């Protein structure tokens, strides 16, 4: 029986274990945290539940969708999407609707937005627009004025670098199909096929995003998979392009583990640093040029219901918070009782930024103060708070990153029994459906059922290599 060793018990690793055991193979999942789910795990405190920021589930990949539905069974809930943008003390619909924007921004501002959009269209018409960065892409589709009002501050709060250094393909992937004219069109007429950003209903597990992965781990375990928690892989040994085993730490004990095939969802940069012997100099240099953004979730147990949205994008430049989520508006079962809202206030940073070093008490105070400044809940309504820090949560899609990835991929392709999978593992800014799809395909490759390359899974979790899938 083939044995697949999987580093990481997040969506990609567990989908791989689920698939391998479904096909009669043996799977070992090694997870460094005390619970499964990775960035999509759910934590519980004082009777309420919190994800690592908002986790809606949406996919166009039928297989991944069916897996989600089958694993969750009766624990699947459908959530109506309500998300708004907070800017200048006012709430704007997300996506923007013409009348809401007109009244919110004022007639003068709206005319200026339309004029700058017309300017961008003219530039495109005469072939004068050059799309090299996120900024170029947005200005081309929405005009410079709307870019400065609605996109610039928010995006720079998330990524920590100027928008002209962010790769254009990031915007093209995430907001594809959308422009000011399509936003206006969509507001006036209901389109048959929704654009990814605009989906108005999504699926969610009743007890939080992580419930899916707890159930998936249970099902895989019932079929013979082993899921080790609190176990951290520290080295990947290899010889002649074959991985020969891995070293891991459980509590204070170090041990070696072997298998036939190895799948790794630890961040790509960490995987390369774990390779023993180390990769060639150019591969290590490429690896060290890649950066991730850290995520801080300040979780607050708040009295009452401060807002009806699933989450709010905080474009307001006067606070550091980026997004605020209310999980009771995903599933009422997330809240300890009907008078409570479990909220996450999110911050993004690099490891060297001061906010990463702030104590839990300081962060809870910062989030409580900002919630109050934004008029959402006075400090007296915050009953308790705790902080979850996630390192390397967002791969930074900086201009030029593709060359580094290409160099790393060339070297990894020489291995016969190793595949990186998932979001941080493949340095892709992607969602759960994508991560699960990479795990499913990688498991089939590991079992010799085809040669599926997880790098060919696109943002929608769909595999693109004619005929293969
Ligand atoms: C704030 C935020 C909001 C998001 N919102 C959404 C959303 O709305 N919808 C959506 O679909 N997706 C969303 N995502 C993305 C989603 O969380 C990821 O796509 C998904 O979790 C990726 O799964 P993965 O298995 O690739 O990686 P991860 O979830 O990162 O799992 C990797 C696992 O590997 C473990 N690990 C790492 N190193 C080691 C090691 N050395 N040894 C052992 N274990 C190790 C980690 O602890 C982790 O559990 C969001 C992510 C964030 C951060």
């Amino acid at each position: 029986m083939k044995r697949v060793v999987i580093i990481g018990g997040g969506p990609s690793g567990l989908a791989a274990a689920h698939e391998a055991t479904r096909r009669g193979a043996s799977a070992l999942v090694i997870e460094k945290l005390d619970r499964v789910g990775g960035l999509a795990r759910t934590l519980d405190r004082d009777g309420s539940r919190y994800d690592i920021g908002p986790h809606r589930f949406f996919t166009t990949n039928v297989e991944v969708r069916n897996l989600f539905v089958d694993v969750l069974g009766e624990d699947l809930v459908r959530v109506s999407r309500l998300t708004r943008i907070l800017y200048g003390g006012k709430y704007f619909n997300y996506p923007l609707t013409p009348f809401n924007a007109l009244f919110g921004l004022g007639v003068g501002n709206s005319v200026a937005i339309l004029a700058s959009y017309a300017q961008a269209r003219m530039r495109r018409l005469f072939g004068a627009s050059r799309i090299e960065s996120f900024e170029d892409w947005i200005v081309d589709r929405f005009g410079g004025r709307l870019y400065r009002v609605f996109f610039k501050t928010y995006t720079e709060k998330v990524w920590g670098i100027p928008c002209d250094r962010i790769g254009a393909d990031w915007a093209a992937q995430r907001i594809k199909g959308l422009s000011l004219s399509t936003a206006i069109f969509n507001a006036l007429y209901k389109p048959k096929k929704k654009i990814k950003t605009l989906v108005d209903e999504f699926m969610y597990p009743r007890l939080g995003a992580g419930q899916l992965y707890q159930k998936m781990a249970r099902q895989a375990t019932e079929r013979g998979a082993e899921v080790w928690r609190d176990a951290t892989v520290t080295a990947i040994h290899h010889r002649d392009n074959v991985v020969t085993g891995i070293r891991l730490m459980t509590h204070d004990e170090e041990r070696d583990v072997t298998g036939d095939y190895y799948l790794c969802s630890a961040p790509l940069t960490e995987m390369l640093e774990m390779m023993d012997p180390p990769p060639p100099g150019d591969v290590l240099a490429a690896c060290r040029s890649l950066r991730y953004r850290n995520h801080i979730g300040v979780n607050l147990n708040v009295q009452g219901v401060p807002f009806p949205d699933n989450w709010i994008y905080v474009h307001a430049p006067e606070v550091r918070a980026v997004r605020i989520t209310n999980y009771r508006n995903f599933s009422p079962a997330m809240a300890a009782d009907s008078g409570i809202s479990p909220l996450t206030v999110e911050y993004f940073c690099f490891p060297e930024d001061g906010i990463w070093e702030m104590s839990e008490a300081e962060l809870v105070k910062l989030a409580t103060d900002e919630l109050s400044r934004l008029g959402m809940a006075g400090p007296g309504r915050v009953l308790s708070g705790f902080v979850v820090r996630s390192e390397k949560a967002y791969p930074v899609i900086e201009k030029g990153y593709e060359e580094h990835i290409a160099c790393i991929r060339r070297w990894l392709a020489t291995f016969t029994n190793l595949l990186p999978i998932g979001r941080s593992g493949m340095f892709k800014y992607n969602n759960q459906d994508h991560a699960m799809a990479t795990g499913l395909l990688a498991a089939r490759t590991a079992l010799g059922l085809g040669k599926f390359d997880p790098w060919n899974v696109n943002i929608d979790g769909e595999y693109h290599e004619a005929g293969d899938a």
Side-chain angles (χ1 to χ4, degrees), residues 8 11-12 31-32 38-39 52 54-56 233 422-423 430-432:
S12 61
E31 169 52 54
K32 75 174 174 188
L39 289 170
I52 311 295
H55 268 77
R56 70 164 181 162
V233 175
R423 170 173 160 128
N430 282 346
N431 282 333
Q432 296 166 87

Side-chain angles (χ1 to χ4, degrees), residues 7-20:
I7 304 173
S12 61
L14 288 172
H18 197 269
E19 179 67 4

